[in-house]
Amino acid sequence: MFGLVVVLAGIAKLAGLAKELAVAAEFGVGPRIDAYVFVFNLLSTPTSIWFGAIFATLTPLLIRLERTDPESALRLRSQFFTISLIAGLFVSLAWTCGVYAFVSEGWSGLTDQTGRYALQILPLMAVMIPLLFVAHFGASCLMARNRHANSLYEGLPALVIVIAVLAYPPSIMALAIATAVGFALQMAATLASTARAGSLHLPSRPDFGAWRSFWPGFGVMLGVQALQSSSPMVDQLYAAQLAPGSLATFNYAFRIFAMFLTLAALALPRVLLPALATIAHDREATRRFMFRWGLLLGMAGVLVAVVTSTFSTTIVGSLFQRGAFTATDTIAVAQVLTILIWQLPFYLLSLLYSQQHYSNGKYGVVALISAGMLVIKLTIGLWLVWQFGLVGLAASGIAVFAFQALALYIASKSTRKKEVVEIPAA
C-alpha cells in the first residue's frame, strides 16, 4: 500500500513541478509571482489546518466505526459533510476579509505594486478554501476505506494551471482563474471516488452530542495544526519584508524541497497512522516498527539532502532557467535550496513520531511541541532572517524541525517508560 500511495502522490507532485516550470518560464521572479505566492500560501493555511485535524481524528474514528458500528460510521460521514460545507464557507469569508485588510492597510510588507496584484486576485482565489474543505473531508472518508485516489487528484490544480499558462498570454488573473478551476476539479473528482466507495451520503444535521468524545481531540488537533501551519505562514511574512522578488525566490527553492517534503507528508501519514493504530497496544511491536522506520527515514533524508545540496545549482538551472527565469535567479534560488533541503531528515523523523502520538491520542503532547516550534521561529528564526536574509530564513526551518524531531522522540520515550511502570501496578 505504501508503494501505491507513493506512486499516486509522486504523479501529483510531478504535476506540481510541471506547474512551477511553466510559471517560472512565463513569469520569472517579480511582483506578479510575489503576489500570487503570498495569496496562495495564506489561503492554503486554513485548508492545511483543516486537513491535518480531520485526518488525525476523523479517519481513525471512521476506521474503528466501520469495524464495530457501520451505521454510526454512515451517520458520522453524513453529518461531517454538513460541517465541512458550513466551516469551509465561514472560514473562507472570515479569512479572506482578514487577508484583504492585512494587505490593503499596508501591514503585509509587500510593495505597492505587489499589493495591488494580491488584492486583485484575492476574491477569486478565495474559493479554494470551501472547495478544499469538502475535498479533504472526502479524502479522509476514502483513506478510512484504505483507498488513496485522492493522492492522485491533488495534482489536478497544478495540471490545470500548466494548461492555462501554456494556452494563454502571461496574466496573473488567468493564473488565479486556473487555480480556482483546478481546485474545483479536485473536489469533484474526490467526491466522485468517495461516492463510488460507498462513503458519500447526503449532508444531514450534525448531532454534536452523539460524538461528544470526538470533539475535544478534534479541537486540540485544530490547535496543533494551527501552530504547525504558523511556521510556513511566518516564513511568508518574513520573506515579504525583504527585497522585491524574495517571495518568489524562496518559493522556487521551497517547491523543489517540497517535492520531497509533500510526497512524504502525503504518503507517510496515510500509511503510518493506520499501521500504528493497529499495533498501538503492543509495545514491542511498536518499538520494532518505530526503530525500523526511524532508521529508514533518517538515512533517506540525509541521502537526499547531501545529493540535493551538492548539485543545487545544476538542479535549479535544469528545472527553471529558461524564458523569464535568468542565470542570476538560478544562483539565488540554489543558494536558498542548499540550506533548505537539510530540513528534510528532521521533518521525516517528526512525521514518524507525530503519527505515533496521534495513534495513541496524545494530541496535547504534539500541541505543546508545536507551540515550542512557533517560539523558536519567532525568536531564533527572526534573528537569522535579520542577519542572513533568505539564507537565514531557510536555516530557521532546520532549527524548528530539529527541535520538533528531538522533542517528539523524547516524549515518545517518556510515554513508553510510563506505560511500563503503570502496567504492573494495574
Side-chain angles (χ1 to χ4, degrees):
M1 183 56 64
F2 177 71
L4 175 62
V5 175
V6 168
V7 169
L8 295 178
I11 294 172
K13 291 301 107 183
L14 287 176
L17 180 59
K19 180 203 79 172
E20 296 301 328
L21 299 182
V23 169
E26 293 295 331
F27 293 92
V29 173
R32 290 182 298 177
I33 292 303
D34 277 354
Y36 178 79
V37 168
F38 186 82
V39 171
F40 183 91
N41 288 336
L42 285 187
L43 294 179
S44 296
T45 299
T47 66
S48 298
I49 294 170
W50 174 257
F51 178 69
I54 64 174
F55 172 72
T57 55
L58 179 63
T59 301
L61 178 58
L62 285 174
I63 291 173
R64 291 193 295 270
L65 289 178
E66 286 287 356
R67 295 173 179 172
T68 60
D69 190 353
E71 185 64 28
S72 292
L74 186 154
R75 289 199 304 273
L76 178 58
R77 287 193 296 264
S78 176
Q79 293 171 21
F80 218 90
F81 194 178
T82 304
I83 294 170
S84 301
L85 289 168
I86 295 173
L89 292 172
F90 175 78
V91 171
S92 178
L93 178 61
W95 191 260
T96 303
C97 289
V99 173
Y100 185 91
F102 185 66
V103 175
S104 62
E105 293 298 325
W107 299 330
S108 65
L110 300 174
T111 64
D112 290 342
Q113 184 181 21
T114 303
R116 286 194 297 271
Y117 282 131
L119 295 177
Q120 182 182 358
I121 63 175
L122 176 61
L124 181 59
M125 291 185 60
V127 302
M128 65 186 280
I129 295 179
L131 293 172
L132 281 174
F133 266 54
V134 175
H136 290 330
F137 158 73
S140 293
C141 293
L142 283 174
M143 288 183 288
R145 291 284 182 91
N146 204 25
R147 302 193 181 190
H148 300 278
N150 55 287
S151 298
L152 180 63
Y153 300 149
E154 286 163 2
L156 286 173
L159 184 60
V160 173
I161 291 172
V162 169
I163 295 172
V165 169
L166 296 178
Y168 298 97
S171 164
I172 193 169
M173 284 304 296
L175 199 56
I177 293 170
T179 301
V181 171
F183 283 116
L185 286 177
Q186 179 184 344
M187 183 194 72
T190 302
L191 292 184
S193 286
T194 307
R196 286 195 298 271
S199 296
L200 186 64
H201 315 286
L202 291 176
S204 63
R205 182 178 178 179
D207 182 3
F208 295 100
W211 316 106
R212 190 175 291 108
S213 62
F214 169 77
W215 299 113
F218 180 71
V220 171
M221 275 309 304
L222 283 175
V224 169
Q225 294 300 317
L227 288 168
Q228 291 184 345
S229 297
S230 64
S231 183
M233 188 166 65
V234 169
D235 285 343
Q236 298 300 310
L237 299 179
Y238 283 169
Q241 308 298 318
L242 301 174
S246 295
L247 268 167
T249 299
F250 187 81
N251 178 71
Y252 286 127
F254 184 82
R255 290 308 167 192
I256 298 175
F257 169 53
M259 279 292 295
F260 306 105
L261 184 149
T262 54
L263 182 60
L266 285 171
L268 287 173
R270 301 174 191 194
V271 173
L272 295 175
L273 184 58
L276 284 166
T278 302
I279 62 173
H281 300 293
D282 187 334
R283 290 194 306 275
E284 182 59 27
T286 300
R287 185 194 66 78
R288 291 195 304 267
F289 184 94
M290 295 298 293
F291 175 79
R292 291 168 182 170
W293 275 92
L295 184 62
L296 173 65
L297 295 178
M299 292 175 62
V302 169
L303 178 62
V304 171
V306 169
V307 173
T308 303
S309 58
T310 301
F311 301 102
S312 60
T313 302
T314 302
I315 293 171
V316 174
S318 300
L319 291 174
F320 295 129
Q321 193 173 317
R322 61 183 59 84
F325 197 97
T326 67
T328 301
D329 298 330
T330 293
I331 294 171
V333 172
Q335 186 180 27
V336 175
L337 177 62
T338 299
I339 307 299
L340 196 66
I341 194 64
W342 282 99
Q343 296 181 30
L344 185 62
F346 302 109
Y347 177 78
L348 293 176
L349 292 173
S350 296
L351 270 182
L352 173 63
Y353 284 103
S354 64
Q355 300 313 303
Q356 183 185 18
H357 287 295
Y358 294 156
S359 69
N360 292 322
K362 304 293 184 181
Y363 306 122
V365 172
V366 184
L368 288 174
I369 293 172
S370 299
M373 294 169 62
L374 181 58
V375 170
I376 291 175
K377 174 64 73 173
L378 294 175
T379 53
I380 297 174
L382 183 58
W383 179 81
L384 288 169
V385 173
W386 281 343
Q387 294 296 315
F388 306 106
L390 281 180
V391 172
L393 182 58
S396 70
I398 300 176
V400 168
F401 283 118
F403 165 79
Q404 183 187 28
L406 180 60
L408 287 170
Y409 172 75
I410 293 173
S412 175
K413 297 286 285 186
S414 175
T415 299
R416 288 202 294 269
K417 287 180 180 178
K418 288 180 181 178
E419 288 174 350
V420 169
V421 171
E422 289 171 0
I423 287 173

